[in-house]
Amino acid sequence: MFKGFKSSSATAIAALMCAAAIGCDSPSGIDHGGSGASQPAATIPSVPMTPTTTQTTDDKKVVDYSRLLLQPADVSDNEDTFTEQSTTPSGPDGLPGASALYVNQDDTRAIAATIVIYPDAETAATTLREALPTLGSTLTDATTRPAPVGTSGTMAIGMSKDGSKAVTLLLFTEGPALVRLEFQSAPGDVTTDDFVINIGKMQQIALRVGLPQSG
């Protein structure tokens, strides 16, 4: 079942890109003949567009980027109703950002979203470029191609290292934000490109509208 998902990190890049950001036991009760998640009807994310702030003991304002993550209704469609199983109000290794895990009603499909906020767009873009060659350490028999999402959008499709799950990764940047979306399902039930791209575009919109504007 998907309830075994957990974070893994060594460095910020490794945590986000190289090692699997989520790992799980083999799902049970999976329909191996499924066609994959279809494109959700929603096109505008329902997340709040203005992030909140909290006060630290040093009296410094810290942005709550978890408010920019998509809501379960945004990733649900006529096949799957997703719920948020967990959320973390920070990025890998304590970097600014947030992450969430969504699991469908049958515990057979999952989506993990991770956002890391870097000091500027150039740093985010450089981190993505440096991480792309390492995708083979996350997936087996991966095929990689450009994706029309954000800046330097890239999709990687393959199998988990243990061969128990079909995995699609979507990576892109939006300003200073680097996004990693991971879609997991049963072998033979690969998530459709349309669904992946649509979810990615909704997350891009949430970041573009909700990130604090520089200057």
Side-chain angles (χ1 to χ4, degrees):
M1 297 176 71
F2 281 105
K3 61 184 179 182
F5 283 74
K6 60 177 81 173
S7 295
S8 170
S9 66
T11 65
I13 296 178
L16 183 69
M17 316 291 287
C18 305
I22 53 177
C24 65
D25 300 329
S26 296
S28 60
I30 293 175
D31 177 7
H32 291 272
S35 60
S38 61
Q39 184 173 356
T43 56
I44 301 298
S46 58
V47 298
M49 290 295 100
T50 303
T52 58
T53 59
T54 57
Q55 295 294 122
T56 68
T57 54
D58 294 329
D59 199 32
K60 294 180 181 179
K61 291 184 178 181
V62 178
V63 177
D64 178 12
Y65 292 107
S66 64
R67 294 176 63 88
L68 297 178
L69 292 165
L70 297 178
Q71 297 298 302
D74 296 321
V75 299
S76 297
D77 63 5
N78 59 357
E79 280 191 49
D80 294 296
T81 300
F82 284 89
T83 57
E84 187 178 83
Q85 188 174 92
S86 65
T87 183
T88 303
S90 65
D93 286 356
L95 289 170
S99 62
L101 173 66
Y102 314 93
V103 179
N104 74 343
Q105 72 278 8
D106 297 321
D107 208 23
T108 56
R109 294 171 180 168
I111 304 170
T114 301
I115 299 168
V116 179
I117 308 298
Y118 290 95
D120 49 52
E122 181 179 357
T123 303
T126 298
T127 303
L128 177 55
R129 285 195 303 270
E130 292 177 349
L132 288 178
T134 69
L135 289 176
S137 66
T138 301
L139 303 178
T140 299
D141 298 327
T143 59
T144 304
R145 59 177 177 268
V149 181
T151 300
S152 301
T154 303
M155 287 179 61
I157 302 170
M159 297 292 294
S160 61
K161 299 301 286 187
D162 64 5
S164 67
K165 297 173 289 293
V167 179
T168 297
L169 298 178
L170 174 63
L171 312 169
F172 66 91
T173 64
E174 175 62 34
L178 193 159
V179 178
R180 180 190 196 276
L181 297 175
E182 180 171 333
F183 302 78
Q184 291 197 359
S185 54
D189 185 32
V190 180
T191 308
T192 66
D193 288 4
D194 283 349
F195 183 85
V196 171
I197 291 170
N198 194 60
I199 297 300
K201 287 183 175 180
M202 284 194 287
Q203 185 62 79
Q204 179 193 0
I205 292 171
L207 290 166
R208 185 175 66 231
V209 178
L211 281 172
Q213 299 298 309
S214 60

